[in-house]
Amino acid sequence: MEEKQIIENFLATRTEEAFCALFEAVCLRLRRYFLLRGLDAATAEDLTQNVFVKVYRQAGELREADHFYGWLFAIVRHEMVSYWRREQTRVEEVGLESLGDWLEDGLMAEPEVMPALRLTDWLKALEPAERDLVVLRFVEGLSYEELAVALKLPLGTIKWRVFNVRKKLARVISASPAGRARHRIN
Amino acid sequence: MKHGIAELEWNDYLDGRATDEVRDRIEAHLIGCLECWEFYEQMSGATQELLEAGEEARQGLTLEDRQLHAMLRGVFARLGTTEAGAAAPSCVQGQLNLLETVLAPFCGTQAAVSALHAAAENSPAHSLDRVTPDNWEPFLKKLTAIAAAMCGETFAGLVWESGQF
């Protein structure tokens, strides 16, 4: 079944079976978003699960499959922001105490190795909001209309921001070894 | 706006979404303006690099079925025991339906249903309506063995693959 059909089926029936199919179709994209936003694999999976709990419970709010990805990534971004707020609070509470059990456990856990990606280097040169735009547009392939829904901004603002982030990255990329090599070839 | 070309027009042009009028105007300008041509070269090169890097990220960040299903179980656990209890059989029902559609063309609908019942009765579930994700694997092994006896090893392999959560 195609992705669009899976989404339409879930929105129309909202059965657990349709939800399972939706999860299989979309889960990878959400986890990837969180990883590219700098989270470790365990946290990315944890937040992905939280998002799907919300999708399951709030699917009644959405009727049109065309708006699904905008709606979905609005939830994803909200989850990301909530996570950073919780982390900020925790960092402030923990202060300079010695390593707690939770942190020692984290250090002992074997982390999943993130593959070396050009994109992760480039994203470091951007502000968080700009990273969102790049990941959602150039990795997840969201349309400008979907981006407007996900980021809750007017369409013109989205295009203007994409243009500016592209301009910023053009400088970063042309200064990178790959960019210089491409320039020489051209 | 620089040289009569607005940023949004540049953006649409780089995406290949500019109107005919805007595209013609930009291209006519690019022929005679080295500064804008260099700007265009840099921006289109960066766009291409970004698209390639996006593809690289999609290829590089994948998820194994094992991880996917562990995460799905986690979602149902978070939805609460009531919802999870209701959800799990529905997922199982979907898999059972799938297996029936795999079996039926080879051995007939009646035999397919009988094979499913026989596998369940000879597995820890003891009956088809008590098959759950937790006792799915022994059930599927029994069904695969039955399929092998009915239609051979190749077909049994298909059943085994189709039955994976």
Side-chain angles (χ1 to χ4, degrees):
Chain A
M1 206 188 296
E2 276 187 25
E3 205 166 281
K4 188 160 188 263
Q5 273 180 294
I6 290 172
I7 293 165
E8 283 171 346
N9 188 32
F10 171 66
L11 294 177
T13 65
R14 289 171 58 199
T15 60
E16 287 86 359
E17 194 180 337
F19 178 71
C20 290
L22 180 78
F23 184 89
E24 290 193 10
V26 176
C27 172
L28 175 62
R29 298 180 68 166
L30 305 197
R31 181 178 177 269
R32 189 166 58 206
Y33 168 87
F34 288 123
L35 288 173
L36 288 171
R37 291 301 320 276
L39 303 184
D40 60 77
T43 309
E45 285 165 20
D46 183 42
L47 298 192
T48 299
Q49 288 171 315
N50 286 347
V51 170
F52 271 100
V53 168
K54 288 178 181 166
V55 166
Y56 184 82
R57 289 187 172 145
Q58 297 171 16
E61 295 172 6
L62 184 73
R63 281 287 156 212
E64 294 210 27
D66 288 346
H67 297 159
F68 178 76
Y69 278 111
W71 175 78
L72 176 70
F73 277 102
I75 297 175
V76 168
R77 289 189 67 252
H78 183 264
E79 191 63 30
M80 183 82 189
V81 170
S82 302
Y83 168 77
W84 284 121
R85 284 198 184 127
R86 285 197 303 273
E87 279 300 288
Q88 186 67 34
T89 310
R90 198 169 71 171
V91 168
E92 282 167 8
E93 283 172 359
V94 170
L96 294 173
E97 287 175 19
S98 60
L99 291 180
D101 289 345
W102 62 273
L103 187 52
E104 284 183 20
D105 289 346
L107 290 172
M108 292 297 287
E110 190 178 336
E112 187 177 320
V113 179
M114 178 88 169
L117 299 170
R118 284 178 292 172
L119 194 65
T120 47
D121 287 337
W122 299 341
L123 290 175
K124 286 176 193 161
L126 303 176
E127 299 296 322
E130 295 171 330
R131 288 177 204 163
D132 253 352
L133 267 184
V134 170
V135 173
L136 294 178
R137 175 74 184 154
F138 293 100
V139 180
E140 299 310 328
L142 263 63
S143 67
Y144 288 113
E145 290 76 12
E146 288 170 329
L147 282 171
V149 174
L151 306 180
K152 297 184 171 69
L153 289 168
L155 194 59
T157 307
I158 292 291
K159 286 187 176 184
W160 183 79
R161 288 193 182 183
V162 168
F163 176 76
N164 281 295
V165 79
R166 198 168 358 205
K167 205 158 72 172
K168 194 169 176 179
L169 276 176
R171 288 193 291 270
V172 174
I173 292 169
S174 61
S176 70
R180 285 197 298 270
R182 181 184 281 263
H183 188 70
R184 278 197 298 273
I185 291 166
N186 289 340
Chain B
M1 185 182 293
K2 197 172 177 186
H3 297 195
I5 304 168
E7 290 175 332
L8 295 191
E9 290 175 334
W10 268 122
N11 197 62
D12 284 344
Y13 183 69
L14 289 164
D15 284 335
R17 291 163 48 121
T19 61
D20 291 348
E21 184 272 318
V22 170
R23 191 192 62 228
D24 292 346
R25 183 156 47 83
I26 290 177
E27 289 177 355
H29 179 74
L30 286 177
I31 292 169
C33 180
L34 182 62
E35 185 187 346
C36 285
W37 175 255
E38 284 175 349
F39 175 73
Y40 166 71
E41 283 265 276
Q42 191 184 30
M43 291 292 275
S44 63
T47 302
Q48 189 56 37
E49 291 268 1
L50 272 169
L51 292 170
E52 287 169 13
E55 179 59 30
E56 184 184 77
R58 286 193 293 276
Q59 298 290 329
L61 298 172
T62 55
L63 195 58
E64 290 175 18
D65 283 353
R66 175 182 53 81
Q67 294 170 290
L68 188 83
H69 295 133
M71 286 173 71
L72 181 58
R73 281 196 295 275
V75 172
F76 281 122
R78 285 169 203 212
L79 282 166
T81 48
T82 313
E83 283 168 306
S90 294
C91 283
V92 168
Q93 192 57 51
Q95 287 296 94
L96 291 172
N97 292 342
L98 174 68
L99 286 171
E100 190 184 323
T101 59
V102 171
L103 288 162
F106 289 87
C107 57
T109 307
Q110 192 62 42
V113 173
S114 299
L116 289 167
H117 278 285
E121 283 160 14
N122 290 289
S123 75
H126 297 302
S127 71
L128 201 54
D129 57 358
R130 292 172 68 182
V131 176
T132 66
D134 292 334
N135 59 31
W136 180 261
E137 192 167 333
F139 160 76
L140 185 62
K141 280 182 180 165
K142 284 285 175 195
L143 185 66
T144 305
I146 293 169
M150 288 165 72
C151 304
E153 290 295 331
T154 307
F155 179 64
L158 176 66
V159 170
W160 175 254
E161 286 294 318
S162 304
Q164 296 301 317
F165 261 114

